[in-house]
Amino acid sequence: NKPISNPVSFPLPTELQATGIRVFSWEQALQTVEEELKTALEKEFPAKDQFEAKINAEFNAGFVLVIDSAKENELLQWETILPENAMTKTVVIIRNAPAEKPVRLLEKVQGKNVRLNRTVLLQENSNVFFATLFDFQEHALVGLQNILQNDAKLHAANAWMKGELVRSRITNIL
């Protein structure tokens, strides 16, 4: 439970709180949703290269979102503006999204010289539509991990805009 070393100023997507999504800094998440956060991080695949390993070990920006449920046909959307040259780690935990009431998410991620690892944990029987628009300037290293627990379903779409050199890896863990 060590705090982030050399934290970078980073705007949390607090506009989501009006929709019932809980938004935490890493320090808050470690105190509030420690067990679920531990589950998500323990189920991640090991880093595939030195870049992912460095981000996971030394991230200095990020947040944790906890989605308990969503209103029917509601699109939950937010914008994440990553600090330049920061190493960012985000986690999205989706607790209750039954098939008849799926959670629909849209995230726009922007930044310059981005290093980002994002983990999404779908708990049992969750049904989620998650679209992400990545709009980068210059370079980006992105690792996406989706962890689906028993009978969870994820419909994911990623769009990549701009960027001189973008490297990404997507891992789905069933």
Side-chain angles (χ1 to χ4, degrees), residues 87-98:
M87 289 187 280
T88 306
K89 174 81 174 177
T90 62
V91 175
V92 180
I93 299 170
I94 302 166
R95 287 184 167 169
N96 183 20

Side-chain angles (χ1 to χ4, degrees), residues 61-143:
F63 56 83
V64 176
L65 301 180
V66 178
I67 302 169
D68 293 307
S69 64
K71 296 175 185 161
E72 194 166 345
N73 295 321
E74 180 179 27
L75 176 63
L76 304 171
Q77 56 186 334
W78 69 97
E79 187 172 353
T80 302
I81 301 172
L82 303 173
E84 185 174 354
N85 296 318
M87 289 187 280
T88 306
K89 174 81 174 177
T90 62
V91 175
V92 180
I93 299 170
I94 302 166
R95 287 184 167 169
N96 183 20
E100 65 277 359
K101 206 171 151 186
V103 169
R104 300 175 345 150
L105 307 172
L106 174 60
E107 179 182 22
K108 181 177 182 182
V109 181
Q110 293 181 298
K112 182 176 180 180
N113 295 325
V114 171
R115 291 166 287 174
L116 167 68
N117 283 353
R118 181 182 77 191
T119 299
V120 177
L121 172 65
L122 277 65
Q123 294 187 341
E124 289 185 10
N125 301 309
S126 291
N127 187 15
V128 176
F129 293 82
F130 198 156
T132 309
L133 172 62
F134 294 97
D135 187 5
F136 297 132
Q137 298 173 22
E138 297 188 20
H139 309 293
L141 294 169
V142 180

Side-chain angles (χ1 to χ4, degrees), residues 46-65:
K48 294 288 186 187
D49 59 32
Q50 73 272 21
F51 303 114
E52 287 182 19
K54 185 168 179 68
I55 296 167
N56 280 341
E58 299 180 15
F59 67 91
N60 57 4
F63 56 83
V64 176
L65 301 180

Side-chain angles (χ1 to χ4, degrees), residues 9-22:
S9 177
F10 183 70
L12 299 176
T14 54
E15 69 274 12
L16 289 172
Q17 291 173 333
T19 66
I21 294 177
R22 294 186 290 149

